[in-house]
PDB file of all heavy atoms in Angstrom:
ATOM      1  N   ASP A 114     103.444  88.992  92.661  1.00 89.00           N
ATOM      2  CA  ASP A 114     103.367  87.574  93.025  1.00 89.00           C
ATOM      3  C   ASP A 114     102.646  86.838  91.907  1.00 89.00           C
ATOM      4  O   ASP A 114     101.536  87.192  91.546  1.00 89.00           O
ATOM      5  CB  ASP A 114     102.618  87.414  94.355  1.00 89.00           C
ATOM      6  CG  ASP A 114     102.708  85.996  94.892  1.00 89.00           C
ATOM      7  OD1 ASP A 114     103.279  85.112  94.212  1.00 89.00           O
ATOM      8  OD2 ASP A 114     102.205  85.774  96.008  1.00 89.00           O
ATOM      9  N   GLU A 123     107.169  83.106 105.882  1.00 78.00           N
ATOM     10  CA  GLU A 123     108.457  83.760 106.074  1.00 78.00           C
ATOM     11  C   GLU A 123     108.519  84.302 107.485  1.00 78.00           C
ATOM     12  O   GLU A 123     107.511  84.419 108.158  1.00 78.00           O
ATOM     13  CB  GLU A 123     108.593  84.898 105.061  1.00 78.00           C
ATOM     14  CG  GLU A 123     108.903  84.395 103.650  1.00 78.00           C
ATOM     15  CD  GLU A 123     108.491  85.388 102.588  1.00 78.00           C
ATOM     16  OE1 GLU A 123     108.586  86.588 102.864  1.00 78.00           O
ATOM     17  OE2 GLU A 123     108.061  84.954 101.510  1.00 78.00           O
ATOM     18  N   ASN A 132     103.858  96.055 114.553  1.00 95.00           N
ATOM     19  CA  ASN A 132     102.512  96.131 115.128  1.00 95.00           C
ATOM     20  C   ASN A 132     102.547  96.633 116.559  1.00 95.00           C
ATOM     21  O   ASN A 132     101.686  97.398 116.988  1.00 95.00           O
ATOM     22  CB  ASN A 132     101.846  94.753 115.098  1.00 95.00           C
ATOM     23  CG  ASN A 132     101.158  94.493 113.781  1.00 95.00           C
ATOM     24  OD1 ASN A 132     101.144  95.367 112.910  1.00 95.00           O
ATOM     25  ND2 ASN A 132     100.600  93.312 113.621  1.00 95.00           N
ATOM     26  N   HIS A 144      92.229 110.946 122.306  1.00 84.00           N
ATOM     27  CA  HIS A 144      91.417 112.043 121.806  1.00 84.00           C
ATOM     28  C   HIS A 144      92.164 112.917 120.839  1.00 84.00           C
ATOM     29  O   HIS A 144      91.610 113.417 119.865  1.00 84.00           O
ATOM     30  CB  HIS A 144      90.952 112.916 122.982  1.00 84.00           C
ATOM     31  CG  HIS A 144      89.763 112.351 123.646  1.00 84.00           C
ATOM     32  ND1 HIS A 144      89.774 111.933 124.938  1.00 84.00           N
ATOM     33  CD2 HIS A 144      88.532 112.108 123.165  1.00 84.00           C
ATOM     34  CE1 HIS A 144      88.574 111.467 125.238  1.00 84.00           C
ATOM     35  NE2 HIS A 144      87.808 111.555 124.185  1.00 84.00           N
ATOM     36  N   TYR A 149      92.025 115.713 116.012  1.00 84.00           N
ATOM     37  CA  TYR A 149      92.878 116.672 115.317  1.00 84.00           C
ATOM     38  C   TYR A 149      93.600 116.013 114.148  1.00 84.00           C
ATOM     39  O   TYR A 149      93.960 114.853 114.206  1.00 84.00           O
ATOM     40  CB  TYR A 149      93.927 117.258 116.276  1.00 84.00           C
ATOM     41  CG  TYR A 149      93.319 117.952 117.462  1.00 84.00           C
ATOM     42  CD1 TYR A 149      93.024 117.246 118.618  1.00 84.00           C
ATOM     43  CD2 TYR A 149      93.010 119.303 117.418  1.00 84.00           C
ATOM     44  CE1 TYR A 149      92.437 117.864 119.710  1.00 84.00           C
ATOM     45  CE2 TYR A 149      92.428 119.937 118.499  1.00 84.00           C
ATOM     46  CZ  TYR A 149      92.138 119.215 119.646  1.00 84.00           C
ATOM     47  OH  TYR A 149      91.558 119.844 120.707  1.00 84.00           O
ATOM     48  N   TYR A 150      93.815 116.804 113.113  1.00 83.00           N
ATOM     49  CA  TYR A 150      94.713 116.391 112.038  1.00 83.00           C
ATOM     50  C   TYR A 150      96.119 116.881 112.374  1.00 83.00           C
ATOM     51  O   TYR A 150      96.269 117.900 113.029  1.00 83.00           O
ATOM     52  CB  TYR A 150      94.298 117.028 110.713  1.00 83.00           C
ATOM     53  CG  TYR A 150      92.921 116.675 110.242  1.00 83.00           C
ATOM     54  CD1 TYR A 150      91.880 117.576 110.369  1.00 83.00           C
ATOM     55  CD2 TYR A 150      92.661 115.443 109.660  1.00 83.00           C
ATOM     56  CE1 TYR A 150      90.599 117.263 109.934  1.00 83.00           C
ATOM     57  CE2 TYR A 150      91.383 115.128 109.215  1.00 83.00           C
ATOM     58  CZ  TYR A 150      90.362 116.043 109.348  1.00 83.00           C
ATOM     59  OH  TYR A 150      89.106 115.726 108.907  1.00 83.00           O
ATOM     60  N   ASN A 187     101.667 107.845  95.547  1.00 97.00           N
ATOM     61  CA  ASN A 187     101.114 109.135  95.945  1.00 97.00           C
ATOM     62  C   ASN A 187     102.191 110.223  95.836  1.00 97.00           C
ATOM     63  O   ASN A 187     101.920 111.345  95.396  1.00 97.00           O
ATOM     64  CB  ASN A 187     100.575 109.022  97.380  1.00 97.00           C
ATOM     65  CG  ASN A 187      99.743 110.205  97.823  1.00 97.00           C
ATOM     66  OD1 ASN A 187      99.984 110.777  98.882  1.00 97.00           O
ATOM     67  ND2 ASN A 187      98.761 110.610  97.030  1.00 97.00           N
ATOM     68  N   GLN A 215     100.650 105.512  83.671  1.00 93.00           N
ATOM     69  CA  GLN A 215      99.218 105.753  83.867  1.00 93.00           C
ATOM     70  C   GLN A 215      98.967 107.091  84.564  1.00 93.00           C
ATOM     71  O   GLN A 215      97.948 107.733  84.327  1.00 93.00           O
ATOM     72  CB  GLN A 215      98.592 104.569  84.593  1.00 93.00           C
ATOM     73  CG  GLN A 215      98.726 103.308  83.729  1.00 93.00           C
ATOM     74  CD  GLN A 215      97.723 102.225  84.068  1.00 93.00           C
ATOM     75  OE1 GLN A 215      96.757 102.456  84.771  1.00 93.00           O
ATOM     76  NE2 GLN A 215      97.963 101.036  83.548  1.00 93.00           N
ATOM     77  N   ASP A 325     101.003  97.915 104.025  1.00 92.00           N
ATOM     78  CA  ASP A 325      99.742  98.194 104.701  1.00 92.00           C
ATOM     79  C   ASP A 325      99.699  99.539 105.410  1.00 92.00           C
ATOM     80  O   ASP A 325      98.619 100.044 105.701  1.00 92.00           O
ATOM     81  CB  ASP A 325      99.435  97.089 105.711  1.00 92.00           C
ATOM     82  CG  ASP A 325      97.949  96.998 106.006  1.00 92.00           C
ATOM     83  OD1 ASP A 325      97.167  97.185 105.063  1.00 92.00           O
ATOM     84  OD2 ASP A 325      97.583  96.775 107.166  1.00 92.00           O
ATOM     85  N   ARG A 327     100.570 102.404 104.238  1.00 94.00           N
ATOM     86  CA  ARG A 327     100.269 103.487 103.288  1.00 94.00           C
ATOM     87  C   ARG A 327     101.026 104.753 103.682  1.00 94.00           C
ATOM     88  O   ARG A 327     100.449 105.834 103.757  1.00 94.00           O
ATOM     89  CB  ARG A 327      98.757 103.763 103.197  1.00 94.00           C
ATOM     90  CG  ARG A 327      97.870 102.565 102.919  1.00 94.00           C
ATOM     91  CD  ARG A 327      98.301 101.652 101.802  1.00 94.00           C
ATOM     92  NE  ARG A 327      98.507 102.309 100.521  1.00 94.00           N
ATOM     93  CZ  ARG A 327      99.647 102.207  99.837  1.00 94.00           C
ATOM     94  NH1 ARG A 327     100.671 101.501 100.288  1.00 94.00           N
ATOM     95  NH2 ARG A 327      99.762 102.807  98.704  1.00 94.00           N
ATOM     96  N   HIS A 342     101.389 121.818 100.025  1.00 93.00           N
ATOM     97  CA  HIS A 342     100.017 122.307  99.861  1.00 93.00           C
ATOM     98  C   HIS A 342      99.168 121.318  99.046  1.00 93.00           C
ATOM     99  O   HIS A 342      97.993 121.093  99.366  1.00 93.00           O
ATOM    100  CB  HIS A 342     100.002 123.694  99.215  1.00 93.00           C
ATOM    101  CG  HIS A 342      98.625 124.294  99.219  1.00 93.00           C
ATOM    102  ND1 HIS A 342      97.961 124.603 100.388  1.00 93.00           N
ATOM    103  CD2 HIS A 342      97.767 124.581  98.227  1.00 93.00           C
ATOM    104  CE1 HIS A 342      96.768 125.069 100.105  1.00 93.00           C
ATOM    105  NE2 HIS A 342      96.602 125.070  98.802  1.00 93.00           N
ATOM    106  N   ASN A 347      94.937 117.316  98.749  1.00 94.00           N
ATOM    107  CA  ASN A 347      94.673 115.963  98.257  1.00 94.00           C
ATOM    108  C   ASN A 347      94.130 115.047  99.354  1.00 94.00           C
ATOM    109  O   ASN A 347      93.316 114.170  99.097  1.00 94.00           O
ATOM    110  CB  ASN A 347      95.954 115.370  97.662  1.00 94.00           C
ATOM    111  CG  ASN A 347      95.788 113.939  97.170  1.00 94.00           C
ATOM    112  OD1 ASN A 347      96.427 113.032  97.670  1.00 94.00           O
ATOM    113  ND2 ASN A 347      94.902 113.722  96.210  1.00 94.00           N
ATOM    114  N   GLN A 348      94.569 115.237 100.595  1.00 93.00           N
ATOM    115  CA  GLN A 348      94.181 114.283 101.646  1.00 93.00           C
ATOM    116  C   GLN A 348      94.259 114.860 103.053  1.00 93.00           C
ATOM    117  O   GLN A 348      94.210 114.103 104.028  1.00 93.00           O
ATOM    118  CB  GLN A 348      95.060 113.039 101.563  1.00 93.00           C
ATOM    119  CG  GLN A 348      96.548 113.365 101.661  1.00 93.00           C
ATOM    120  CD  GLN A 348      97.457 112.200 101.295  1.00 93.00           C
ATOM    121  OE1 GLN A 348      97.674 111.318 102.110  1.00 93.00           O
ATOM    122  NE2 GLN A 348      97.988 112.202 100.088  1.00 93.00           N
ATOM    123  N   ALA A 350      95.871 115.209 105.661  1.00 91.00           N
ATOM    124  CA  ALA A 350      96.952 114.808 106.562  1.00 91.00           C
ATOM    125  C   ALA A 350      97.135 113.309 106.487  1.00 91.00           C
ATOM    126  O   ALA A 350      96.353 112.602 105.857  1.00 91.00           O
ATOM    127  CB  ALA A 350      96.606 115.219 107.982  1.00 91.00           C
ATOM    128  N   GLN A 353      98.156 109.707 112.352  1.00 94.00           N
ATOM    129  CA  GLN A 353      99.198 109.967 113.341  1.00 94.00           C
ATOM    130  C   GLN A 353      99.755 108.683 113.955  1.00 94.00           C
ATOM    131  O   GLN A 353     100.959 108.535 114.106  1.00 94.00           O
ATOM    132  CB  GLN A 353      98.648 110.858 114.457  1.00 94.00           C
ATOM    133  CG  GLN A 353      98.194 112.206 113.960  1.00 94.00           C
ATOM    134  CD  GLN A 353      97.522 113.013 115.063  1.00 94.00           C
ATOM    135  OE1 GLN A 353      98.173 113.424 116.013  1.00 94.00           O
ATOM    136  NE2 GLN A 353      96.228 113.215 114.951  1.00 94.00           N
TER     137      GLN A 353
ATOM    138  N   ASP B 114      89.013 123.777 116.539  1.00 89.00           N
ATOM    139  CA  ASP B 114      89.204 124.023 117.970  1.00 89.00           C
ATOM    140  C   ASP B 114      89.847 125.394 118.142  1.00 89.00           C
ATOM    141  O   ASP B 114      90.906 125.664 117.565  1.00 89.00           O
ATOM    142  CB  ASP B 114      90.094 122.922 118.567  1.00 89.00           C
ATOM    143  CG  ASP B 114      90.131 122.986 120.088  1.00 89.00           C
ATOM    144  OD1 ASP B 114      89.536 123.920 120.670  1.00 89.00           O
ATOM    145  OD2 ASP B 114      90.746 122.088 120.686  1.00 89.00           O
ATOM    146  N   GLU B 123      86.852 113.808 127.384  1.00 78.00           N
ATOM    147  CA  GLU B 123      85.564 113.292 126.944  1.00 78.00           C
ATOM    148  C   GLU B 123      85.590 111.778 127.007  1.00 78.00           C
ATOM    149  O   GLU B 123      86.662 111.187 127.063  1.00 78.00           O
ATOM    150  CB  GLU B 123      85.278 113.772 125.512  1.00 78.00           C
ATOM    151  CG  GLU B 123      84.852 115.231 125.453  1.00 78.00           C
ATOM    152  CD  GLU B 123      85.111 115.840 124.083  1.00 78.00           C
ATOM    153  OE1 GLU B 123      84.980 115.132 123.090  1.00 78.00           O
ATOM    154  OE2 GLU B 123      85.458 117.038 124.041  1.00 78.00           O
ATOM    155  N   MET B 139      95.185  94.012 112.721  1.00 93.00           N
ATOM    156  CA  MET B 139      96.631  94.082 112.450  1.00 93.00           C
ATOM    157  C   MET B 139      97.319  92.758 112.743  1.00 93.00           C
ATOM    158  O   MET B 139      98.297  92.399 112.115  1.00 93.00           O
ATOM    159  CB  MET B 139      97.267  95.204 113.283  1.00 93.00           C
ATOM    160  CG  MET B 139      96.919  96.599 112.771  1.00 93.00           C
ATOM    161  SD  MET B 139      97.999  97.941 113.375  1.00 93.00           S
ATOM    162  CE  MET B 139      98.493  97.372 114.960  1.00 93.00           C
ATOM    163  N   HIS B 144     101.607  88.592 106.982  1.00 84.00           N
ATOM    164  CA  HIS B 144     102.310  88.634 105.699  1.00 84.00           C
ATOM    165  C   HIS B 144     101.424  89.142 104.593  1.00 84.00           C
ATOM    166  O   HIS B 144     101.854  89.868 103.717  1.00 84.00           O
ATOM    167  CB  HIS B 144     102.804  87.238 105.322  1.00 84.00           C
ATOM    168  CG  HIS B 144     104.094  86.932 105.982  1.00 84.00           C
ATOM    169  ND1 HIS B 144     104.235  85.902 106.862  1.00 84.00           N
ATOM    170  CD2 HIS B 144     105.285  87.555 105.912  1.00 84.00           C
ATOM    171  CE1 HIS B 144     105.478  85.882 107.301  1.00 84.00           C
ATOM    172  NE2 HIS B 144     106.131  86.868 106.748  1.00 84.00           N
ATOM    173  N   TYR B 149     100.963  92.485 100.161  1.00 84.00           N
ATOM    174  CA  TYR B 149      99.994  92.694  99.089  1.00 84.00           C
ATOM    175  C   TYR B 149      99.213  93.989  99.301  1.00 84.00           C
ATOM    176  O   TYR B 149      98.944  94.381 100.427  1.00 84.00           O
ATOM    177  CB  TYR B 149      99.002  91.522  99.031  1.00 84.00           C
ATOM    178  CG  TYR B 149      99.668  90.197  98.795  1.00 84.00           C
ATOM    179  CD1 TYR B 149     100.104  89.438  99.871  1.00 84.00           C
ATOM    180  CD2 TYR B 149      99.879  89.733  97.516  1.00 84.00           C
ATOM    181  CE1 TYR B 149     100.750  88.225  99.662  1.00 84.00           C
ATOM    182  CE2 TYR B 149     100.519  88.524  97.295  1.00 84.00           C
ATOM    183  CZ  TYR B 149     100.961  87.770  98.373  1.00 84.00           C
ATOM    184  OH  TYR B 149     101.589  86.579  98.172  1.00 84.00           O
ATOM    185  N   ASN B 187      90.035 113.784 100.192  1.00 97.00           N
ATOM    186  CA  ASN B 187      90.539 112.937  99.120  1.00 97.00           C
ATOM    187  C   ASN B 187      89.405 112.536  98.170  1.00 97.00           C
ATOM    188  O   ASN B 187      89.579 112.519  96.944  1.00 97.00           O
ATOM    189  CB  ASN B 187      91.212 111.701  99.740  1.00 97.00           C
ATOM    190  CG  ASN B 187      92.022 110.877  98.757  1.00 97.00           C
ATOM    191  OD1 ASN B 187      91.841 109.666  98.657  1.00 97.00           O
ATOM    192  ND2 ASN B 187      92.916 111.517  98.009  1.00 97.00           N
ATOM    193  N   GLN B 215      90.110 125.656  97.618  1.00 93.00           N
ATOM    194  CA  GLN B 215      91.538 125.470  97.342  1.00 93.00           C
ATOM    195  C   GLN B 215      91.770 124.316  96.365  1.00 93.00           C
ATOM    196  O   GLN B 215      92.724 124.334  95.589  1.00 93.00           O
ATOM    197  CB  GLN B 215      92.295 125.298  98.662  1.00 93.00           C
ATOM    198  CG  GLN B 215      92.146 126.570  99.503  1.00 93.00           C
ATOM    199  CD  GLN B 215      93.230 126.764 100.538  1.00 93.00           C
ATOM    200  OE1 GLN B 215      94.256 126.100 100.522  1.00 93.00           O
ATOM    201  NE2 GLN B 215      93.000 127.704 101.443  1.00 93.00           N
ATOM    202  N   ASP B 325      92.019 110.000 112.536  1.00 92.00           N
ATOM    203  CA  ASP B 325      93.320 109.337 112.435  1.00 92.00           C
ATOM    204  C   ASP B 325      93.344 108.162 111.472  1.00 92.00           C
ATOM    205  O   ASP B 325      94.405 107.754 111.035  1.00 92.00           O
ATOM    206  CB  ASP B 325      93.773 108.873 113.816  1.00 92.00           C
ATOM    207  CG  ASP B 325      95.288 108.754 113.883  1.00 92.00           C
ATOM    208  OD1 ASP B 325      95.963 109.592 113.262  1.00 92.00           O
ATOM    209  OD2 ASP B 325      95.793 107.824 114.528  1.00 92.00           O
ATOM    210  N   ARG B 327      92.205 108.056 108.485  1.00 94.00           N
ATOM    211  CA  ARG B 327      92.349 108.499 107.099  1.00 94.00           C
ATOM    212  C   ARG B 327      91.554 107.587 106.157  1.00 94.00           C
ATOM    213  O   ARG B 327      92.083 107.130 105.144  1.00 94.00           O
ATOM    214  CB  ARG B 327      93.828 108.592 106.663  1.00 94.00           C
ATOM    215  CG  ARG B 327      94.743 109.333 107.577  1.00 94.00           C
ATOM    216  CD  ARG B 327      94.281 110.705 108.037  1.00 94.00           C
ATOM    217  NE  ARG B 327      93.915 111.607 106.953  1.00 94.00           N
ATOM    218  CZ  ARG B 327      92.733 112.208 106.874  1.00 94.00           C
ATOM    219  NH1 ARG B 327      91.793 112.000 107.785  1.00 94.00           N
ATOM    220  NH2 ARG B 327      92.483 113.030 105.891  1.00 94.00           N
ATOM    221  N   HIS B 342      89.917 104.149  89.123  1.00 93.00           N
ATOM    222  CA  HIS B 342      91.231 104.196  88.490  1.00 93.00           C
ATOM    223  C   HIS B 342      92.057 105.382  89.003  1.00 93.00           C
ATOM    224  O   HIS B 342      93.267 105.263  89.236  1.00 93.00           O
ATOM    225  CB  HIS B 342      91.112 104.240  86.965  1.00 93.00           C
ATOM    226  CG  HIS B 342      92.442 104.087  86.297  1.00 93.00           C
ATOM    227  ND1 HIS B 342      93.189 102.930  86.402  1.00 93.00           N
ATOM    228  CD2 HIS B 342      93.192 104.943  85.577  1.00 93.00           C
ATOM    229  CE1 HIS B 342      94.330 103.084  85.749  1.00 93.00           C
ATOM    230  NE2 HIS B 342      94.351 104.300  85.248  1.00 93.00           N
ATOM    231  N   ASN B 347      96.482 107.500  92.198  1.00 94.00           N
ATOM    232  CA  ASN B 347      96.785 108.490  93.229  1.00 94.00           C
ATOM    233  C   ASN B 347      97.452 107.879  94.443  1.00 94.00           C
ATOM    234  O   ASN B 347      98.287 108.508  95.085  1.00 94.00           O
ATOM    235  CB  ASN B 347      95.489 109.211  93.639  1.00 94.00           C
ATOM    236  CG  ASN B 347      95.681 110.235  94.737  1.00 94.00           C
ATOM    237  OD1 ASN B 347      95.138 110.086  95.825  1.00 94.00           O
ATOM    238  ND2 ASN B 347      96.494 111.254  94.499  1.00 94.00           N
ATOM    239  N   GLN B 348      97.110 106.630  94.798  1.00 93.00           N
ATOM    240  CA  GLN B 348      97.629 106.058  96.039  1.00 93.00           C
ATOM    241  C   GLN B 348      97.631 104.537  96.072  1.00 93.00           C
ATOM    242  O   GLN B 348      97.830 103.946  97.130  1.00 93.00           O
ATOM    243  CB  GLN B 348      96.826 106.585  97.236  1.00 93.00           C
ATOM    244  CG  GLN B 348      95.326 106.301  97.108  1.00 93.00           C
ATOM    245  CD  GLN B 348      94.455 107.060  98.089  1.00 93.00           C
ATOM    246  OE1 GLN B 348      94.308 106.663  99.230  1.00 93.00           O
ATOM    247  NE2 GLN B 348      93.897 108.181  97.640  1.00 93.00           N
ATOM    248  N   ALA B 350      96.272 101.941  96.922  1.00 91.00           N
ATOM    249  CA  ALA B 350      95.299 101.212  97.734  1.00 91.00           C
ATOM    250  C   ALA B 350      95.180 101.869  99.093  1.00 91.00           C
ATOM    251  O   ALA B 350      95.936 102.774  99.418  1.00 91.00           O
ATOM    252  CB  ALA B 350      95.736  99.760  97.898  1.00 91.00           C
ATOM    253  N   GLN B 353      94.917  97.860 104.776  1.00 94.00           N
ATOM    254  CA  GLN B 353      93.959  96.778 105.013  1.00 94.00           C
ATOM    255  C   GLN B 353      93.536  96.697 106.474  1.00 94.00           C
ATOM    256  O   GLN B 353      92.350  96.530 106.777  1.00 94.00           O
ATOM    257  CB  GLN B 353      94.573  95.443 104.593  1.00 94.00           C
ATOM    258  CG  GLN B 353      94.893  95.390 103.120  1.00 94.00           C
ATOM    259  CD  GLN B 353      95.611  94.103 102.747  1.00 94.00           C
ATOM    260  OE1 GLN B 353      95.021  93.033 102.780  1.00 94.00           O
ATOM    261  NE2 GLN B 353      96.881  94.187 102.407  1.00 94.00           N
TER     262      GLN B 353
END
Side-chain angles (χ1 to χ4, degrees):
Chain A
D114 189 356
E123 284 157 34
N132 274 357
H144 278 117
Y149 301 89
Y150 300 103
N187 191 231
Q215 297 202 13
D325 204 37
R327 308 313 305 126
H342 188 64
N347 178 242
Q348 57 192 280
Q353 298 174 68
Chain B
D114 190 356
E123 284 157 35
M139 287 197 330
H144 277 118
Y149 301 89
N187 192 232
Q215 298 203 13
D325 205 36
R327 311 311 307 125
H342 188 64
N347 178 244
Q348 57 193 278
Q353 297 175 69

